[in-house]
Amino acid sequence: MFEFDWPWMFLLLPLPFIVWKWLPPVRKNRSAIRLPSTYGLAESSPGSGRRWLWLSLMSLCWLMLIAAVAKPQWLGEPLAVRAEGREIMLAVDLSGSMEIADMQLDGRSVDRLTMVKHVLSDFIARREGDRLGLILFADTAYLQTPMTYDRNTVKQMLNESVLGLVGERTAIGDAIALSVKRFRDDDESNRVLVLLTDGQNTAGNLTPEQALELAQAYDVTI
């Protein structure tokens, strides 16, 4: 559904006419900033087509400015929110070893990341009422999708992830620490990190043991 968040801004539409109508005319010897591209149009005689073209152009610009300030927005269908929902962060390994095609999916060999996407797609679809987030990690960890009830967006961001996007190594500790950081300012309970990786920690600023202590301190279940 399309709507304007501040529709009352359209009350400003007649403002230029009011200013032109009631303010005293500007004297000829008064300095002013003029736009070279419209100067000739503005100085045309009142009944000329060039003057009407200039007025139409300025009116259109004013209308577009007011429409932008009124904050146009598209609103989707409302999402049901359950108070007992969990906070779940998904942390997915994008290191080089995830490219190994040693998984079987529908009778064909696929790489490990493809299998992770397949399994998580079903997991995400079942998380109605839960808030989900997505972290991708390899040489480092970064937040791909902040916590949201929009499961379709989380699934889309996961499916669009590619190997080599963040490097070749595996920063498990950093992925855990980043998850805890995103949970830290949230008062919700049932905070869960789902960590999907096939390797050992080979990069990052924190070891998994240090990150685990941090997760325990903030009551995050891994």
Side-chain angles (χ1 to χ4, degrees), residues 103-153:
M103 297 287 169
Q104 293 292 319
L105 179 60
D106 298 329
R108 58 188 178 90
S109 295
V110 297
D111 59 60
R112 298 172 181 179
L113 179 58
T114 300
M115 179 59 75
V116 166
K117 292 179 179 180
H118 174 73
V119 173
L120 279 184
S121 293
D122 180 66
F123 178 81
I124 293 171
R126 296 173 181 269
R127 301 276 68 81
E128 184 176 357
D130 295 336
R131 285 213 308 167
L132 300 177
L134 176 64
I135 287 175
L136 303 177
F137 67 96
D139 289 355
T140 186
Y142 73 94
L143 182 68
Q144 177 74 342
T145 308
M147 285 293 182
T148 177
Y149 289 104
D150 189 350
R151 292 171 292 161
N152 290 331
T153 295

Side-chain angles (χ1 to χ4, degrees), residues 2-38:
F2 179 80
E3 67 176 28
F4 291 96
D5 194 31
W6 294 350
W8 46 268
M9 293 299 297
F10 285 100
L11 295 175
L12 296 176
L13 279 177
L15 181 60
F17 175 78
I18 295 175
V19 172
W20 172 78
K21 187 70 174 177
W22 296 103
L23 286 185
V26 179
R27 294 180 180 178
K28 291 295 183 179
N29 60 353
R30 182 177 177 181
S31 62
I33 298 176
R34 301 181 183 274
L35 297 177
S37 60
T38 60

